[in-house]
Amino acid sequence: MNKSLLLISLFTLLTLIVVACQPQTVEVVVTNTLASKKVASDWPNMTWEEVLAEANGQTVNWFHWGGSGTWNNFMDVVIHEQALACCNVSINPVHVNDTVEAINKVLGEAEAGRTEDGSVDLIWINAENFITLRQPDLLFGSYTDALPNVQYVDTESSYYNFDTGWPINGYESLWGTSQMVIEYDSAKVNPPTNIDDFMEYICSDEARGKFTYPAPPDFTGTGFITGLLYHYTGESDFWLGRSSQIIGPFEDQSLALWEVLNEIEPCLWREGETYPNDVVELRELVKNGEVAFAMTFGYGNVDVMIEDGVYPETMRQMMFDEGTVANAHYQAIPFNSPNKAGAMVIANILQSPDNQFALVDTVGGLPAVVVSRLPKNAQVSFASIEFGETRVPFDEFTKALPQLGDLQPILENAWRANVLEN
Amino acid sequence: MYERFRPYILVSPALLVILVLFIGGLFFGLTRSFNYMPIIGLNDPNLDAYRSIFTSSGFLRSLGLTLWIAIASTFISMTIAIGVGLVLRESFRGRRTSTFLFQLNLPIPHIVGAIGMLFLFTQGGFISRIAHAINLIEQPSEFPELVFDPYAIGIILEYVWKEIPFIGVVVIAILVSIGDDYEELAQTLGANTWQRFRFVLLPLILPGVLSVSVIVLAFTFGAFEIPFILGQTFPQPLPVLAVRNYTNPDLNQRPEAMATAIVIAALSTVLIIIYMRLSRRIVRSD
């Protein structure tokens, strides 16, 4: 009895201390806000110093895809420590399997009328997820021109201005790019690098049954057939001018693609009766020796997978002569984020020369910045990057094909109708 | 006064949770399925989503597949569970160990079972490798398609593996409570083994077994994760189809996703009602 009494009084004392401390911290915040402006009410009439002042002490709930250890470590540890050291901003990472989970959270909050104090501060986003939030005006912006490190980015580039064909207008900041590569087991297959020969090769005795691609709408699978669409039906420019208004012609114009895909279907893994759902399942098939090919948007993926023992050591990377589809990584801030200033600080840190170098060198991505615009020492670091024979050399990523824009869902549905359900 | 309201007060917390979470969710799902979603400018409720799913051949094939999985899994698990229950009722050496082993997988989650199926039964899986090692097959692709297959064998296998002990627990419990008296009585009246099972034991265990298998039926009809992991790309069972539509970034797909979910809920309700009616009739006619 005495013990519990003691415990209760101790607990009460502790509570009192905590409560007593509370008003003081509140006071500090009040004086802070009185002195400076707030992004929520004053943007864009703020200087970067004022953003930094508001960001001081904020914790940013960063929703990002959590499927890769190297990327997680980069964002949750490297960036977190830098943000803490420079600006007293900390990161609370929220790993999602699919970015759409974060999107649904913001949508749900918007529908419930939660216009401030939302639970998402920053999202690693691109393509249709960006459009989903941009359409109902649920993103904060325009902010990307205000980031100091944007000086290293080519703001005239299509990456900076368009995301899968959609105008960005400063509502998501560019922090990396990526381009599709094909991975193959050089001990089993030896594929040619131009698309026509490659398609023929798939049906050869050597490669029969050893190739497949993730079923669209998985973004890697969609990226693969988008590249084929450009090749078999005309140049990418032809498609990019179009919009989803022309559904009828799309089916007609894309006939050549479906012909090819149906032609190779009997030569695919499991004769194309079923497809892996995503690259993770595809890698599992490589690991089990069921297929000899994989594909990915991750430049560094092949080395990581060999190290983890998923891929055999004979796995190599290749690129089509005609180029492959590329895309970009962005960060967007939801309209109801209570920590917009902190989120902007993170977005800025991601574009710094050091982190852009780390992105390529250790994380396995491709940069958002233009190397020639970087300070001298950073340029030297970039020039020194050299990877082993497993990878396509860093400077050979020249033929980047654009994503399909708002025709993409139509392409995905057409694939279901013309290939999968056919 | 208090005495009069006491039962209501006592049930209200549970009812509140059910009403708010279930009816509330169902209500929002319903409004969405009627194409009402003001945030993307859908302001006039209509039946377009239902019309579009019921005219799509993909949806109907998914529906057929879902029914096949649910009915086949339930029937197979029930039959085997009754058989095993009858055996484990006898006294023999190692009965307790067998019973323990039989029920061992009860606490194992479905998802673990599914991963296990992947390890064992894919064409590059454990069994395929053994088959390769003993020269039964030359290439992974010669191994029969047991996972990601058109007949959902992998999915049904997982459900059967998991649900046999679940139904079995009930069978054994009933058999133990019945004891041997009825059977011995029937035996003295000249009933043979089959007759004792058919006219004595079965009528006694059937009501319990049927009500537990309704749970299995409803579960296998509406569960998502097993078909998601072990299923083919097309056609996909309804729950997977619903989630796929729901996670489509194109918000205009939401009404169809919700309509699919509502159809799943409605159909499993209907299925349960039919099943209960039928089973009551079977039980009564005996």
Side-chain angles (χ1 to χ4, degrees):
Chain A
M1 196 61 202
N2 267 344
K3 243 186 199 168
S4 55
L5 257 180
L6 195 73
L7 267 177
I8 289 172
S9 48
L10 250 174
F11 182 74
T12 326
L13 197 72
L14 264 174
T15 322
L16 276 175
I17 294 171
V18 170
V19 171
C21 286
Q22 215 65 350
Q24 284 175 337
T25 38
V26 169
E27 258 168 51
V28 176
V29 173
V30 167
T31 43
N32 248 347
T33 43
L34 281 181
S36 60
K37 296 179 182 173
K38 279 229 157 206
V39 174
S41 48
D42 299 304
W43 190 260
N45 301 314
M46 278 171 81
T47 63
W48 186 248
E49 278 65 38
E50 285 165 331
V51 173
L52 285 176
E54 191 195 335
N56 188 358
Q58 287 188 340
T59 298
V60 175
N61 292 313
W62 190 2
F63 283 61
H64 61 75
W65 177 68
S68 157
T70 25
W71 287 80
N72 290 346
N73 181 59
F74 179 64
M75 291 182 272
D76 305 345
V77 180
V78 178
I79 301 295
H80 169 78
E81 279 167 6
Q82 285 180 34
L84 206 55
C86 82
C87 321
N88 193 23
V89 173
S90 40
I91 290 170
N92 173 38
V94 183
H95 294 174
V96 291
N97 266 325
D98 189 331
T99 310
V100 86
E101 292 166 30
I103 306 300
N104 280 337
K105 210 169 173 73
V106 177
L107 277 175
E109 288 177 359
E111 284 193 309
R114 194 162 154 190
T115 55
E116 48 191 52
D117 213 24
S119 53
V120 186
D121 295 318
L122 192 65
I123 311 173
W124 175 6
I125 201 170
N126 75 357
E128 57 262 43
N129 286 317
F130 170 67
I131 298 160
T132 306
L133 286 188
R134 187 71 187 104
Q135 246 172 335
D137 200 16
L138 298 180
L139 288 178
F140 162 75
S142 156
Y143 76 91
T144 62
D145 284 336
L147 305 178
N149 284 334
V150 85
Q151 57 173 309
Y152 306 120
V153 179
D154 178 7
T155 52
E156 303 292 315
S157 69
S158 79
Y159 281 137
Y160 187 81
N161 292 293
F162 294 96
D163 182 353
T164 56
W166 268 69
I168 292 171
N169 292 328
Y171 282 83
E172 55 175 4
S173 66
L174 180 67
W175 68 286
T177 58
S178 62
Q179 189 167 345
M180 168 165 287
V181 286
I182 308 289
E183 298 162 331
Y184 65 96
D185 185 350
S186 59
K188 291 180 178 162
V189 290
N190 182 24
T193 54
N194 92 44
I195 294 182
D196 288 321
D197 294 347
F198 185 86
M199 287 303 171
E200 230 167 80
Y201 179 73
I202 286 172
C203 282
S204 70
D205 288 345
E206 199 172 70
R208 214 180 169 85
K210 296 196 174 83
F211 180 84
T212 187
Y213 51 95
D218 171 75
F219 72 94
T220 313
T222 303
F224 177 69
I225 64 168
T226 304
L228 297 185
L229 174 77
Y230 296 151
H231 178 72
Y232 285 106
T233 62
E235 293 302 308
S236 55
D237 297 352
F238 169 80
W239 290 103
L240 284 180
R242 310 293 167 113
S243 79
S244 49
Q245 308 300 324
I246 52 144
I247 299 171
F250 182 86
E251 295 275 332
D252 299 343
Q253 306 280 12
S254 54
L255 275 181
L257 172 68
W258 313 125
E259 243 167 57
V260 173
L261 288 179
N262 281 318
E263 222 167 83
I264 63 161
E265 198 167 46
C267 312
L268 299 181
W269 170 73
R270 296 283 291 262
E271 278 139 35
E273 263 181 44
T274 189
Y275 291 80
N277 282 316
D278 50 33
V279 287
V280 179
E281 285 190 21
L282 182 54
R283 284 168 197 158
E284 207 50 41
L285 295 178
V286 174
K287 184 184 174 190
N288 290 340
E290 289 186 59
V291 301
F293 290 89
M295 56 189 68
T296 178
F297 275 101
Y299 179 41
N301 181 64
V302 64
D303 290 340
V304 175
M305 289 296 138
I306 290 176
E307 207 180 303
D308 291 353
V310 176
Y311 284 172
E313 303 221 332
T314 41
M315 207 70 177
R316 296 288 177 269
Q317 216 173 49
M318 65 165 267
M319 168 96 80
F320 289 132
D321 299 339
E322 293 84 351
T324 55
V325 170
N327 66 23
H329 309 302
Y330 300 93
Q331 299 292 341
I333 305 170
F335 75 111
N336 61 354
S337 152
N339 301 304
K340 296 190 178 80
M344 275 196 267
V345 168
I346 305 293
N348 184 53
I349 290 175
L350 285 168
Q351 290 176 342
S352 81
D354 286 350
N355 288 324
Q356 288 293 309
F357 170 71
L359 184 70
V360 181
D361 191 47
T362 56
V363 186
L366 292 166
V369 294
V370 183
V371 175
S372 59
R373 291 191 184 204
L374 298 177
K376 269 270 136 36
N377 58 342
Q379 290 194 30
V380 172
S381 318
F382 265 97
S384 71
I385 293 179
E386 205 175 292
F387 297 116
E389 53 173 351
T390 49
R391 295 213 221 171
V392 173
F394 167 62
D395 45 18
E396 277 180 28
F397 283 86
T398 42
K399 277 208 169 158
L401 304 174
Q403 302 256 10
L404 204 49
D406 65 343
L407 278 175
Q408 189 165 310
I410 297 169
L411 175 76
E412 290 164 353
N413 288 335
W415 180 81
R416 288 197 83 81
N418 290 294
V419 181
L420 185 63
E421 302 180 10
N422 196 328
Chain B
M1 198 59 188
Y2 171 74
E3 281 303 314
R4 237 180 92 198
F5 289 108
R6 194 165 156 262
Y8 302 105
I9 294 170
L10 289 179
V11 296
S12 63
L15 272 184
L16 212 65
V17 170
I18 292 172
L19 283 177
V20 171
L21 293 182
F22 182 69
I23 307 287
L26 199 64
F27 174 76
F28 279 109
L30 264 176
T31 53
R32 289 264 175 98
S33 76
F34 290 133
N35 243 353
Y36 182 74
M37 198 173 166
I39 193 158
I40 55 165
L42 293 175
N43 288 317
D44 306 305
N46 57 48
L47 288 171
D48 285 356
Y50 288 95
R51 210 167 290 142
S52 113
I53 60 173
F54 276 114
T55 50
S56 116
S57 71
F59 177 85
L60 297 175
R61 286 180 65 177
S62 291
L63 178 60
L65 180 70
T66 318
L67 283 169
W68 156 245
I69 293 174
I71 293 172
S73 317
T74 310
F75 186 76
I76 298 173
S77 325
M78 189 170 76
T79 317
I80 300 181
I82 293 177
V84 177
L86 288 174
V87 173
L88 288 178
R89 177 181 70 121
E90 319 262 326
S91 51
F92 58 93
R93 256 194 123 174
R95 195 192 104 178
R96 285 186 63 169
T97 325
S98 308
T99 312
F100 173 75
L101 287 175
F102 173 63
Q103 296 174 349
L104 192 63
N105 72 349
L106 274 177
I108 299 175
H110 270 286
I111 206 117
V112 176
I115 306 288
M117 294 288 151
L118 279 187
F119 275 132
L120 289 177
F121 293 121
T122 53
Q123 291 185 323
F126 191 65
I127 295 181
S128 167
R129 282 179 211 193
I130 289 179
H132 178 79
I134 57 175
N135 288 327
L136 276 177
I137 57 170
E138 272 177 26
Q139 286 187 42
S141 58
E142 287 169 20
F143 190 73
E145 296 166 1
L146 297 177
V147 179
F148 314 125
D149 61 297
Y151 305 105
I153 296 172
I155 300 171
I156 295 173
L157 220 53
E158 200 283 340
Y159 282 146
V160 167
W161 166 80
K162 177 76 183 156
E163 304 300 356
I164 287 175
F166 180 62
I167 302 179
V169 168
V170 178
V171 175
I172 293 172
I174 299 172
L175 285 174
V176 167
S177 72
I178 294 171
D180 296 335
D181 299 352
Y182 292 102
E183 264 189 291
E184 278 165 13
L185 184 65
Q187 202 170 3
T188 55
L189 295 174
N192 63 24
T193 316
W194 164 248
Q195 286 167 326
R196 290 203 303 275
F197 168 71
R198 174 65 188 83
F199 298 107
V200 179
L201 283 183
L202 197 62
L204 285 168
I205 56 175
L206 214 50
V209 170
L210 287 177
S211 53
V212 68
S213 57
V214 171
I215 300 174
V216 174
L217 186 78
F219 174 77
T220 49
F221 188 80
F224 161 78
E225 71 267 41
I226 302 307
F228 178 73
I229 296 172
L230 301 175
Q232 209 185 5
T233 319
F234 176 83
Q236 288 169 316
L238 289 181
V240 183
L241 195 70
V243 173
R244 203 190 72 220
N245 284 338
Y246 185 72
T247 51
N248 192 314
D250 179 7
L251 292 183
N252 293 304
Q253 299 268 341
R254 292 290 163 92
E256 276 187 30
M258 285 305 163
T260 311
I262 297 289
V263 169
I264 296 171
L267 276 179
S268 53
T269 315
V270 172
L271 218 55
I272 290 169
I273 293 173
I274 294 175
Y275 195 90
M276 300 277 251
R277 285 262 164 87
L278 277 180
S279 54
R280 224 172 279 152
R281 197 174 301 162
I282 292 169
V283 172
R284 246 187 248 133
S285 69
D286 272 306

